[in-house]
Each structure stands twice: as structure tokens, then as C-alpha cells.
Amino acid sequence: MATMTGTQWLDDEEQRAWRAFVRMQGRLTARLNRQLQTDSGLSLADYEVLVQLTDTADGRLRPFELQRCLHWEQSRLSHHLTRMQRRGLIGREECTEDGRGAFIVLTDAGRDAITAAAPGHVDTVRSLFLDGLTRDQIAALRQVSEQVLGRLDATADTDD
Amino acid sequence: MATMTGTQWLDDEEQRAWRAFVRMQGRLTARLNRQLQTDSGLSLADYEVLVQLTDTADGRLRPFELQRCLHWEQSRLSHHLTRMQRRGLIGREECTEDGRGAFIVLTDAGRDAITAAAPGHVDTVRSLFLDGLTRDQIAALRQVSEQVLGRLDATADTDD
DNA sequence: TCGGTGTAGATGATGTGTCATCTACGCATC
DNA sequence: GATGCGTAGATGACACATCATCTACACCGA
């Protein structure tokens, strides 16, 4: 990523946009995290794992499937699942089709936890984020996000 | 934040926009972090601290000033500065005007580190983010970010 | 059936973020 | 000048993220 020809620095508008975005993003996720943590004892990461499991018909997923849809590092996922299992939010079951793997299953406690957490979380997303934006702004944001996601996919080496 | 009257769930467009934004944001910062780390041995957090110090005339700031402009938790800042000092990126000097405080000063090593890191970082911000967007999209993003920042400020209790 | 390569997943070390708590100084008021 | 409150900052414990590495099984071709 080194520039032989000299880096093109950000102009004023780019600078302002980029810095506003970075700060907004960081503070927003910090707030969402705090709300979830204090009101439900879940982290944003826990929440996302539970959402994926809830969206699956039988509440069972292979870790590598979770990895693909969350785009997490494998090791992060593994550690996180260990912690979630220790807290009783998920369980592990043997996978008979593939001796290497396992199934991650949503426990009753896990289902209860996300059911309890969801309303407050969605309310917070609305009040801190969506409620301040027009439909057009929301549509524009989606387009920007998807374009950037496309670039991230296009330039992904191995990971991510 | 609990809803007595029932939560208004996200409609399809809101859902798509929000999820795209969250995923984009997480993956983007992960990539930026990795680029900085592998190419310069700095984290994004290190980089931001160093930027603030570099933008100051004498390269000296009180911790609480850093806290105000970074919007970090006090404890996070304190721990981070300790680690950065251990690595020689910053130093601490006594503050004669206020016996409680200290000055954080940019060391030569710190200045070298950010000077070396900046071009690659800016290139990455461009290639993963700005280059994929039109001027209009960048302007729209800035407006959205600033509006949300306003909401975050308006609803901040103590912290953040 | 043996060896090689690829894939699923776990683990230990280390850096990072948050919470609760603690110390010490500044400052006002009695 | 003692009391009390507010602010500046550090610290220990713990959850989280990343990297390097390791095990075990799958699968394929000789």
C-alpha cells in the first residue's frame, strides 16, 4: 500500500466527511454496546451471534457458517462461542456428518436473552440513528454501505 | 429504553440499510486496523492519539484535553497512554500549573511513527472507501454523520 | 492404503476496552 | 485551617480481538 508517487492527501471536504464518519461510527457502536450490556447483559457481539441462530429454522449452525455470515475471524468466533457457552447462551452438539465439526445450538436461555434484549436494542437504534434521518438519507446510506462492502469484498485477500 | 407500548420493528428498507451499515463499518475498521498494524506497527487508536498530538503546536496535551477531542473513556485513554509510553511513542511531563495533572508529549519516535504511517493509511482510506464514492455521496455521508453525532451529543448522559 | 493437502475448529499469548474503584490535588466555605 | 466536593488521573479485574500455532478429520491421487 506504499505510494511510490506520493500520497494524495485528503482535501477539506474529504477530511471532514471521513473524520465525522469515523467518530460517529465509533461513538454509535459504543453507545449501542453500553445499552445492550447494561439493559440485557449482552454485548453487541453476543447479539449478532444470537440473531444468526434465531434466524435459522432449527437454531443450529456450524461454526464455519456463522463465520461466513458474520465475517468474523475464525479465532474470534471460536473464543466468543466458548465464552457464550460458558454463560449458557449456546450449546455445542456433535456433528455426525463431519467428524471435524460441531453444531452450535441456541439454548432456551439464549433465546430468552435475545427476546428480552431485542426491543430495547431496536428502540436505541431508532432513537440514536434512524429517527434522525430521512428516508432518502437512509436509502443513500444503504447505497454507500453496499458500495463500500463491495470494495471490501473485491480487495479481500484471504480473510475478512 | 424499554417500550411500554411495543417496539416498532425495522421495516425492510431500514433493516437492509442498518445491517449494511453495521457490517460495512465493522469490516472497514478491521481492515484499516490491520493495514496500520502490519505496515507500521500502530493501531488505529495509536494513530488517532498521535494525530491529535501532531496537530498541536508544541506536541503537548493534557490527558483531559485528549479525552475531550477523542471522546474516549477516561480509563481507556489512561491505559492506552500507559501502553504508548511503554513503547516510546509518547512521554509524560509534569504539569506545574496543576499538581493533579501531567502533559503528554510526542516523542521523536512517535513523530517518526506517524510520519511513516500516514501515507499508507490515507491510501487505504482512499482505496477502500473514498475512491468508491462520488462527491455527492461523500457530502451526503458527512451530513448523515454530523446529524447522528448531534443526536449522540444530545442524548449523552455523562460520558461519551 | 499410504501420504499430502486442505478444511474445521481450539488454544495460548498478548494487546485492547470497560467498569468499579482509588488517590491526590484544587477550590470554596465555614 | 478543617471540611467537603469536584476534577485529573491511575489501577486491577475482566471481557474482547488478533496472531500464531496446533490437532484432527476429509479427501484425493499414486
Side-chain angles (χ1 to χ4, degrees):
Chain A
M1 195 54 67
T3 35
M4 299 301 133
T5 64
T7 291
Q8 189 188 353
W9 301 102
L10 304 190
D11 66 36
D12 219 58
E13 177 65 15
E14 289 170 330
Q15 180 92 243
R16 289 165 66 89
W18 174 247
R19 295 205 65 74
F21 170 73
V22 167
R23 286 194 305 143
M24 179 272 278
Q25 173 271 107
R27 291 177 60 186
L28 180 59
T29 58
R31 288 284 282 275
L32 291 173
N33 234 314
R34 195 156 21 210
Q35 180 275 325
L36 263 182
Q37 190 67 56
T38 61
D39 292 356
S40 321
L42 295 180
S43 67
L44 213 40
D46 298 329
Y47 190 88
E48 289 184 22
V49 170
L50 294 176
V51 164
Q52 298 304 322
L53 288 171
T54 310
D55 283 353
T56 306
D58 52 354
R60 302 154 54 87
L61 281 174
R62 299 283 300 274
F64 78 90
E65 295 175 302
L66 272 169
Q67 193 190 335
R68 301 288 153 75
C69 58
L70 292 173
H71 289 272
W72 282 9
E73 294 210 355
Q74 183 271 318
S75 149
R76 172 186 180 185
L77 180 62
S78 184
H79 282 298
H80 204 90
L81 293 175
T82 300
R83 291 188 294 260
M84 288 181 75
Q85 182 175 22
R86 198 186 312 141
R87 291 191 289 149
L89 297 170
I90 58 163
R92 286 180 213 250
E93 281 179 13
E94 221 176 331
C95 177
T96 52
E97 307 120 48
D98 187 335
R100 294 166 294 184
F103 276 107
I104 302 300
V105 299
L106 190 57
T107 61
D108 290 345
R111 197 177 295 276
D112 290 350
I114 191 167
T115 302
H121 177 63
V122 172
D123 288 348
T124 309
V125 170
R126 278 206 183 286
S127 72
L128 294 183
F129 192 75
L130 293 173
D131 282 354
L133 305 175
T134 66
R135 296 299 283 187
D136 283 353
Q137 286 180 312
I138 293 175
L141 187 74
R142 174 165 85 92
Q143 222 209 347
V144 164
S145 300
E146 288 176 351
Q147 276 176 234
V148 175
L149 278 172
R151 282 186 99 74
L152 291 169
D153 283 331
T155 57
D157 264 319
T158 54
D159 46 63
D160 185 69
Chain B
M1 197 53 67
T3 35
M4 299 299 133
T5 64
T7 290
Q8 188 188 353
W9 301 103
L10 305 189
D11 66 35
D12 218 58
E13 176 65 15
E14 289 170 330
Q15 179 93 241
R16 289 165 64 89
W18 174 248
R19 296 205 65 72
F21 170 74
V22 167
R23 287 193 304 140
M24 179 273 279
Q25 172 270 106
R27 290 177 60 187
L28 180 59
T29 57
R31 288 283 283 275
L32 291 173
N33 235 313
R34 194 156 22 211
Q35 181 274 325
L36 263 182
Q37 189 67 56
T38 63
D39 293 356
S40 322
L42 295 179
S43 68
L44 212 41
D46 299 329
Y47 189 88
E48 289 184 23
V49 170
L50 294 175
V51 164
Q52 298 304 323
L53 289 171
T54 309
D55 283 353
T56 305
D58 51 354
R60 302 154 56 89
L61 281 173
R62 300 282 300 272
F64 79 89
E65 295 176 302
L66 272 169
Q67 191 190 338
R68 301 288 152 76
C69 58
L70 291 172
H71 289 272
W72 282 8
E73 294 210 357
Q74 183 271 319
S75 148
R76 172 186 181 186
L77 180 62
S78 184
H79 282 299
H80 205 90
L81 293 176
T82 300
R83 292 187 293 259
M84 288 181 75
Q85 182 175 21
R86 196 186 314 140
R87 292 191 287 148
L89 297 170
I90 58 162
R92 286 179 212 251
E93 281 179 13
E94 221 176 330
C95 177
T96 53
E97 306 118 50
D98 187 337
R100 295 166 294 183
F103 276 109
I104 302 299
V105 299
L106 191 56
T107 61
D108 290 344
R111 197 177 295 275
D112 291 350
I114 191 166
T115 303
H121 178 63
V122 173
D123 288 348
T124 309
V125 170
R126 279 206 182 285
S127 72
L128 295 183
F129 192 74
L130 294 172
D131 283 353
L133 305 175
T134 65
R135 297 299 285 191
D136 282 354
Q137 285 179 314
I138 292 174
L141 187 74
R142 174 164 85 93
Q143 219 207 352
V144 165
S145 299
E146 288 176 351
Q147 275 176 233
V148 175
L149 278 171
R151 282 185 100 74
L152 291 170
D153 283 332
T155 57
D157 263 319
T158 53
D159 47 65
D160 185 70

